[in-house]
Amino acid sequence: LAMKRQKFKTYQKKYEILDEYFLKHNPEPHFILPAMPSNETVFFEPLNENNYVQLYEMFDEDDHPFVISRYKNRTEWEEYVYYYVNYGRFVGKHGYFDVFARLKSTGAYFSLLNIYELSKDTFDDKHRKCFIGYTTGKKFRGMGLTLAAVRLSLQFLFETMQMLYVYAYVERSNLKSQMFLTRLGFQMVPNTFS
């Protein structure tokens, strides 16, 4: 397993049974994220045990109502990262990846992109559908950076990952995000989730 266990001793005991199971039955990840493209402005870096604190630093003081609360709570975030790095890629049916978007000019971390509901199930082309999410640090909002990053990630999902459909779940009250996605070519579909 990739995670340096000593960093997260608190979670070792909690996940001891999973450790034994995953080491025995899932020595290789079921989902591997190919290298994502970059452009003159943006490059991507997968979330890992060495960079996870960047997200907490981006959102610790952020009062935006649509920033996931886990991103603002260091303990919750560390537990999530421990699970993500050690188990998330090893589950059989669905996979997910969290990827930082960074500025090429300065190296600054400005957004976290989520690619999730990846599937190996070929029934109804489920393996060619996924969801994306995105959250941008306060000081980088409104600059067009997330637009560039999501556009580049969509190109990657359609061309490299061969997706037929990419979905994004948006709160009804989050009108800015709805307009953002419309600008990227997304169309509203009825919410079939509870």
Side-chain angles (χ1 to χ4, degrees):
L1 299 178
M3 177 63 79
K4 293 174 184 159
R5 303 295 174 138
Q6 63 273 19
K7 282 183 146 183
F8 296 99
K9 287 191 182 287
T10 313
Y11 310 114
Q12 277 184 310
K13 193 115 180 116
K14 185 173 183 178
Y15 292 110
E16 228 167 52
I17 293 168
L18 278 178
D19 280 355
E20 189 178 317
Y21 176 83
F22 275 88
L23 285 169
K24 185 176 179 183
H25 299 287
N26 298 289
E28 297 296 322
H30 290 287
F31 295 91
I32 297 172
L33 185 69
M36 293 179 72
S38 63
N39 63 20
E40 61 283 345
T41 310
V42 176
F43 71 99
F44 297 104
E45 179 180 292
L47 171 70
N48 62 52
E49 68 274 11
N50 297 314
N51 65 13
Y52 74 94
V53 293
Q54 297 297 325
L55 187 107
Y56 178 74
E57 290 172 7
M58 281 175 19
F59 299 111
D60 178 33
E61 303 287 326
D62 199 326
D63 59 353
H64 195 283
F66 297 112
V67 172
I68 297 170
S69 63
R70 175 178 63 227
Y71 294 174
K72 303 175 193 183
N73 181 310
R74 191 171 190 133
T75 303
E76 285 182 41
W77 182 238
E78 285 181 346
E79 184 168 5
Y80 171 82
V81 172
Y82 182 87
Y83 183 87
Y84 169 79
V85 170
N86 289 298
Y87 309 109
R89 295 169 300 140
F90 296 86
V91 294
K93 247 188 166 180
H94 296 281
Y96 57 96
F97 295 99
D98 292 328
V99 181
F100 282 111
R102 298 180 64 184
L103 282 177
K104 231 179 195 176
S105 59
T106 65
Y109 293 80
F110 68 86
S111 188
L112 182 75
L113 303 180
N114 319 101
I115 302 168
Y116 59 104
E117 288 299 317
L118 294 165
S119 178
K120 295 220 175 232
D121 186 353
T122 57
F123 177 76
D124 195 30
D125 281 328
K126 285 181 183 172
H127 66 299
R128 298 191 67 195
K129 300 173 186 176
C130 71
F131 280 76
I132 62 160
Y134 47 87
T135 310
T136 302
K138 192 173 191 173
K139 68 180 182 179
F140 296 104
R141 292 183 192 137
M143 299 171 67
L145 295 171
T146 304
L147 184 70
V150 174
R151 187 172 278 141
L152 195 56
S153 68
L154 289 171
Q155 177 186 339
F156 164 78
L157 289 169
F158 287 121
E159 293 176 10
T160 305
M161 300 286 286
Q162 297 292 301
M163 293 295 160
L164 293 174
Y165 298 98
V166 177
Y167 299 93
Y169 176 78
V170 184
E171 296 283 341
R172 283 196 174 106
S173 57
N174 193 345
L175 300 178
K176 281 188 179 183
S177 195
Q178 290 175 30
M179 290 188 303
F180 174 85
L181 290 167
T182 301
R183 191 170 169 193
L184 285 164
F186 281 78
Q187 299 174 0
M188 295 291 251
V189 294
N191 184 359
T192 56
F193 304 98
S194 53

